Amino acid sequence: MVPKHNFLNAISSCLISIVPEGFYDRVEKGSIILKKAPEFGFCKEGIVVDGESTPLETDLVILATGFKGDEKLKDIFVSPTFRDYIIGSPTASLPLYRECIHPRIPQLAVIGFSESISNLYTSEMRCRWVAELLDGKFKLPSINEMEKDAERWDKYMKQYSGEYYRRSCIGAVHIWYNDQLCKDMGWNSKRKKGFIPELFQPYGPMDYCPS
């Protein structure tokens, strides 16, 4: 099960999965069997995996097919203009300022499209950012400035995420991203108490509780 992409590409594209405790122990014992195949089919006994002659006896099949988030965003709108705005160019990442607000549709905040290593943590930070924006604690930059910021983000995505740039993953720059949100909200982006903890302690959700 060795991936074709390197670690930097994986973490920059959110292609890393966190497995439950004891997962690999179960793989070694044989209670979890890993199969990798481009195709599979159903038969009376269960599943036929491409390249194998013996079917896998199966009681239940879960099809984790995923979804196309950009299409779901597009379907929010009836207007062709806004449908084109929200998904942007098919050759660029979604043009969302702070991975949240489209420069030309500032009344709409998108929470949860951009991925990270911990999506709940990331979404909670964005929700706080949006709440502070709605409360008037800060204002959005001009349309031109937000579009330029989205263009810089697109260049980063293509450099480190490769073919997966449309996933809009912030996994490799999560702390830097949170720093930008903190600065927007007028918070100190250095959340640790002291120089040494700031250098060596990992950041987590509790570090961003309002003081």
Side-chain angles (χ1 to χ4, degrees), residues 81-154:
T81 300
F82 284 100
R83 287 166 66 90
D84 290 341
Y85 274 164
I86 195 67
I87 63 171
S89 168
T91 60
S93 59
L94 252 69
L96 300 178
Y97 177 70
R98 295 292 189 254
E99 294 300 297
C100 186
I101 289 182
H102 194 289
R104 297 187 179 273
I105 319 175
Q107 303 90 341
L108 174 70
V110 179
I111 305 293
F113 177 83
S114 177
E115 298 182 78
S116 183
I117 303 302
S118 175
N119 286 329
L120 289 176
Y121 171 19
T122 302
S123 294
E124 185 175 359
M125 281 296 295
R126 286 199 190 110
C127 287
R128 181 69 195 213
W129 184 84
V130 170
E132 297 281 312
L133 172 63
L134 295 175
D135 198 35
K137 297 293 177 59
F138 68 96
K139 293 182 179 180
L140 294 173
S142 67
I143 292 175
N144 187 47
E145 288 179 73
M146 289 192 286
E147 288 180 335
K148 285 183 178 179
D149 185 85
E151 288 174 6
R152 288 192 292 269
W153 192 250
D154 177 60

Side-chain angles (χ1 to χ4, degrees), residues 68-80 82-87 94:
K68 293 184 177 180
D70 51 356
E71 291 295 325
K72 289 185 177 291
L73 289 176
K74 183 179 178 181
D75 290 341
I76 293 174
F77 299 100
V78 175
S79 164
F82 284 100
R83 287 166 66 90
D84 290 341
Y85 274 164
I86 195 67
I87 63 171
L94 252 69

